[in-house]
Amino acid sequence: DYYATTASGAAQGSRVLYVPGEMILSSARIAQEYEGYVDAPLRVLNFMGMPHLTNQFFLFIRVLLEYEQGDQSPYKPWLESLPRKWNTAVAMDEFCLSCLPPYIKSLCLIEKNQLEVFRQSLNKFEYISAETKANEEIMKFAYNVVFTRARPTEEGDHKIVPVADFMNHAYPENSVLTYDENGGCSVYTTADVGPGEALTLNYGHPTNPSRFLATYGFLDEPQAFFCKLLSPNPSQALKDVGYDPSRMLFFTADGAISQEVWDVLLYSRLEKKPELEEVKNAFYQAHMTGDGETKGAIHAQFQQDTVGALLRHVTHILIEVADLTVNMNSFDASKHPRLPLLKKHHTMVTDTFTKVRDYLMAIQE
């Protein structure tokens, strides 16, 4: 509902914003400032298997410290401008989770688990009050601020740039962030921007609206999104063949299916059949060497099987989402304010998967 814009518009390549380095929250700088004071929290974070979130944890601590300073914090105006209501995973209650199909529910549970680990790690940081640590809403607030507003840099840092953090997502975006040698941040337009037009950045995940909903609390409307074929422990060979949610796509316009879906589905089925070991190896070799003719011949040999398997998967998802939607419609949206957003997610899935089902049935005919 809120976004950054220009009053007069800007031509491509214009600098529309500059934020001095001393105003920017930088995980690298925080790590230097707190060196020796965060060893115990970081040990917990590492023990819980989340060293990859160290940058975000530093920012989490800093947001809480600035919150506790109140009027004495130079960031108070910025903190007061931030949302207090969220639709992200960590803001969802058990009812919301009960309305979600398995894939997005798993993403939401990951986010909730990350917040719990942050809480446990924070208990070892003695410079934040027990009152703040016990405040669940403040914990969620700080977590959401970090994970919806911090952006990684090429140097391995994560930064929150006040004011620039009001720029919403778009793909393709019309702006980009750059940093100078003093740590200052400039926002340049990458396209002509008209008066009143939103300045936008690419938050990533352009083909995964479920990830956007879990992390950012809004729904993107992509041209394609993940087919929801999940492998709990994919082999390296399956990854080599193309097991990657960002590439295993159903296209929203016509239900077309990316080649990676066909390749992964076929190879995963060949992996389960020892009697087809020779065919599996031939398919893998053809894929790795770019032998399209051999790959095509193997796909043709097993087309009926793979089309049937994919059709069963799509039908299962459609039934699952339909059942969840029926259940959601029996509840009062005024008592569950995230219901309209969750229904919108389910509608997006249903529309695209219905097109995919029709596409597959046409192949079968």
Side-chain angles (χ1 to χ4, degrees):
D1 297 331
Y2 300 90
Y3 54 90
T5 184
T6 66
S8 58
Q12 179 179 351
S14 300
R15 185 167 78 169
V16 293
L17 177 67
Y18 179 76
V19 181
E22 56 268 24
M23 289 181 61
I24 296 171
L25 298 177
S26 160
S27 63
R29 191 164 64 239
I30 295 168
Q32 292 177 346
E33 292 174 1
Y34 299 170
E35 186 175 2
Y37 298 95
V38 290
D39 293 347
L42 291 182
R43 281 196 293 270
V44 176
L45 193 71
N46 292 337
F47 177 78
M48 299 300 288
M50 296 188 182
H52 60 289
L53 296 180
T54 298
N55 286 357
Q56 290 90 333
F57 183 67
F58 280 133
L59 291 168
F60 177 73
I61 289 176
R62 183 60 179 272
V63 169
L64 291 171
L65 287 170
E66 296 299 335
Y67 164 79
E68 286 204 325
Q69 287 186 39
D71 292 341
Q72 302 305 310
S73 170
Y75 292 96
K76 182 184 179 184
W78 172 69
L79 287 170
E80 290 187 337
S81 74
L82 300 178
R84 293 302 188 271
K85 295 181 180 180
W86 309 82
N87 292 319
T88 59
V90 298
M92 293 184 186
D93 55 22
E94 289 302 317
F95 170 78
C96 294
L97 293 177
S98 72
C99 296
L100 300 176
Y103 176 62
I104 185 173
K105 185 175 182 178
S106 70
L107 297 179
C108 291
L109 291 175
I110 289 172
E111 296 277 345
K112 283 180 169 290
N113 183 53
Q114 288 176 178
L115 174 57
E116 180 57 32
V117 171
F118 274 30
R119 282 198 189 106
Q120 294 179 29
S121 303
L122 189 68
N123 285 333
K124 297 295 184 179
F125 187 69
E126 58 187 85
Y127 302 98
I128 290 177
S129 70
E131 181 181 0
T132 295
K133 292 176 181 177
N135 190 322
E136 183 177 352
E137 292 307 309
I138 294 302
M139 293 295 106
K140 291 179 182 178
F141 170 77
Y143 182 95
N144 280 321
V145 168
V146 171
F147 280 85
T148 62
R149 293 177 130 71
R151 297 183 62 82
T153 70
E154 294 179 355
E155 294 75 26
D157 195 0
H158 276 71
K159 295 184 177 183
I160 301 178
V161 184
V163 184
D165 65 328
F166 278 99
M167 297 172 67
N168 286 344
H169 165 79
Y171 181 78
E173 68 275 28
N174 63 22
S175 305
V176 65
L177 305 184
T178 63
Y179 298 94
D180 59 32
E181 64 277 6
N182 297 316
C185 176
S186 293
V187 177
Y188 287 94
T189 56
T190 57
D192 293 341
V193 179
E197 183 180 349
L199 295 165
T200 59
L201 298 171
N202 177 10
Y203 290 7
H205 313 296
T207 57
N208 199 340
S210 297
R211 166 60 68 189
F212 269 108
L213 181 55
T215 302
Y216 295 102
F218 70 87
L219 276 174
D220 188 34
E221 297 185 6
Q223 295 178 342
F225 59 80
F226 179 41
C227 68
K228 304 185 190 301
L229 275 170
L230 297 173
S231 177
N233 188 26
S235 66
Q236 184 57 52
L238 192 63
K239 294 177 183 178
D240 293 341
V241 167
Y243 185 81
D244 179 350
S246 68
R247 296 161 55 197
M248 298 169 58
L249 305 176
F250 290 159
F251 292 88
T252 57
D254 56 5
I257 301 165
S258 70
Q259 185 60 46
E260 286 80 2
V261 175
W262 294 115
D263 290 346
V264 167
L265 181 58
L266 174 55
Y267 193 81
S268 66
R269 296 179 71 77
L270 293 174
E271 281 187 318
K272 298 174 183 176
K273 298 180 179 180
E275 68 275 17
L276 295 176
E277 178 80 10
E278 187 175 336
V279 178
K280 181 196 74 173
N281 292 339
F283 184 87
Y284 181 83
Q285 183 67 21
H287 178 83
M288 298 303 290
T289 60
D291 182 358
E293 183 176 351
T294 299
K295 270 186 67 176
I298 297 175
H299 269 299
Q301 179 183 352
F302 293 94
Q303 177 175 303
Q304 184 176 356
D305 178 68
T306 51
V307 169
L310 191 53
L311 186 56
R312 288 191 295 274
H313 165 72
V314 169
T315 302
H316 172 75
I317 295 293
L318 285 170
I319 293 172
E320 188 174 58
V321 173
D323 289 345
L324 289 168
T325 302
V326 169
N327 182 56
M328 291 164 65
N329 287 334
S330 65
F331 291 90
D332 184 355
S334 66
K335 297 179 181 178
H336 302 283
R338 297 179 188 88
L339 266 181
L341 184 64
L342 299 182
K343 288 180 181 179
K344 183 178 178 182
H345 172 269
H346 292 8
T347 298
M348 287 175 59
V349 172
T350 299
D351 289 348
T352 297
F353 273 64
T354 298
K355 292 174 183 176
V356 174
R357 182 194 61 192
D358 295 344
Y359 181 87
L360 291 169
M361 293 177 68
I363 294 176
Q364 278 191 328
E365 294 174 359

